Amino acid sequence: MRKIIKPSVYIRQIVTDCISNMSDLKLKTEIERAIHLIEVANTEYDLKKASNELHHLVRGQEINSIVTSKVLKDLYSKRFINKNNLARKHYDNLLFSAPNGRCPQCGIRIATTLDHNLPKSKYALLSVSAFNLIPSCTDCNKGKHVSFPRSAEEESIHPYYDDIENIKWLHCKVINVKPLLIEYYVSTESMVPKLLNKRIKNHFDSFNLNDLYVTHGIEEFSNIQKQLINLFNSGGSMLLLEHLKEGFDSRSEININSWQTAFYEALLNDKNFTNGLFI
């Protein structure tokens, strides 16, 4: 859940570039006449998202019998993503905005596509809205459980509108020391608004982040297990604690909510683990 600066490109420019080489001149003219309605939908999305009211947006809208939902969706699937189309530059700019090339929704996998925050199948007017298109990995794009929010609590964290990088929300705990079993979970301080806390939790559950982070955590343990055993055998709990504390501090400086930060914090805080029961 990393923050990205909100795109500044105008929706009128995106639509104009999408249809720049359209051979069906009648359809092109109808879309040009309807751009102002797409602008209205784009502005409404921007306002509703800023106040966590996307669930109030009307689904299934289309402009007329010519500029149908299919035509609007085709603007994305046949023109916006087409590498030979002028609009492709906007797709690339949005995709390349992913921090370090990683999916902002899970923070781990490589961003290789754009995810419609509100699906174009139900919100065709937002098919090429930059505000509604988030760089994403394939798994997050296809795997989220909630396709569209029915309440403010169901709205996932949006990297253009939400900044939770300075809020400690991701934690991990040791379930069993040997073999090592861990679990990630969401918990925030009481000062964090309840709605934001619920949305973070919903995002965590919707994108199935516990399973993803546990996989990486267990792999990390396998990589450092021999090193930790050697440290404990040579210096006991004190040396092991110092090493885990260094691991936690260095990762926490980069990202207080990475799976690595939470993983080292969990090992550091588990007395059974630091007393060597994992050996």
Side-chain angles (χ1 to χ4, degrees), residues 220-234 239-240 243 264 278:
E220 174 73 2
F221 177 67
S222 297
N223 291 331
I224 64 174
Q225 185 174 11
K226 186 173 182 180
Q227 180 186 18
L228 298 183
I229 291 173
N230 291 338
L231 283 169
F232 186 84
N233 288 337
S234 62
L239 194 56
L240 181 60
H243 177 78
Y264 277 89
F278 68 97

Side-chain angles (χ1 to χ4, degrees), residues 118-174:
L118 294 183
K120 64 181 184 300
S121 60
K122 298 185 183 301
Y123 302 88
L125 282 169
L126 299 170
S127 293
V128 294
S129 166
F131 299 152
N132 189 43
L133 291 169
I134 300 172
S136 173
C137 64
T138 302
D139 286 345
C140 284
N141 187 18
K142 296 181 178 178
K144 63 182 178 184
H145 298 159
V146 179
S147 59
F148 62 90
R150 295 176 176 80
S151 66
E153 289 80 5
E154 285 190 353
E155 290 191 21
S156 59
I157 299 301
H158 196 307
Y160 303 151
Y161 295 86
D162 298 303
D163 186 356
I164 60 171
E165 293 188 0
N166 294 318
I167 298 173
K168 177 65 174 172
W169 57 266
L170 182 63
H171 301 270
C172 177
K173 61 183 176 183
V174 175

Side-chain angles (χ1 to χ4, degrees), residues 176-273:
N176 190 68
V177 175
K178 187 177 181 179
L180 183 66
L181 298 175
I182 58 175
E183 180 180 84
Y184 286 83
Y185 63 99
V186 171
S187 179
T188 60
E189 295 181 354
S190 58
M191 65 184 68
V192 176
K194 290 183 178 179
L195 176 57
L196 179 59
N197 182 67
K198 290 181 178 178
R199 289 181 56 226
I200 296 173
K201 178 78 166 50
N202 175 65
H203 185 109
F204 182 81
D205 293 339
S206 180
F207 288 96
N208 205 20
L209 296 184
N210 176 56
D211 289 350
L212 177 63
Y213 295 165
V214 165
T215 299
H216 284 267
I218 294 300
E219 183 180 23
E220 174 73 2
F221 177 67
S222 297
N223 291 331
I224 64 174
Q225 185 174 11
K226 186 173 182 180
Q227 180 186 18
L228 298 183
I229 291 173
N230 291 338
L231 283 169
F232 186 84
N233 288 337
S234 62
S237 294
M238 187 64 70
L239 194 56
L240 181 60
L241 279 166
E242 288 179 3
H243 177 78
L244 293 174
K245 180 70 164 52
E246 288 179 1
F248 167 74
D249 288 343
S250 63
R251 288 159 179 81
S252 182
E253 284 188 11
I254 302 300
N255 181 1
I256 61 174
N257 292 305
S258 72
W259 67 265
Q260 296 101 326
T261 299
F263 171 77
Y264 277 89
E265 186 177 30
L267 300 189
L268 182 63
N269 292 333
D270 190 274
K271 290 185 178 179
N272 288 331
F273 189 89

Side-chain angles (χ1 to χ4, degrees), residues 29-45:
T29 299
E30 288 297 326
I31 293 175
E32 288 174 334
R33 288 174 177 168
I35 284 182
H36 70 286
L37 296 175
I38 299 175
E39 288 180 312
V40 169
N42 188 65
T43 298
E44 187 175 14
Y45 176 96

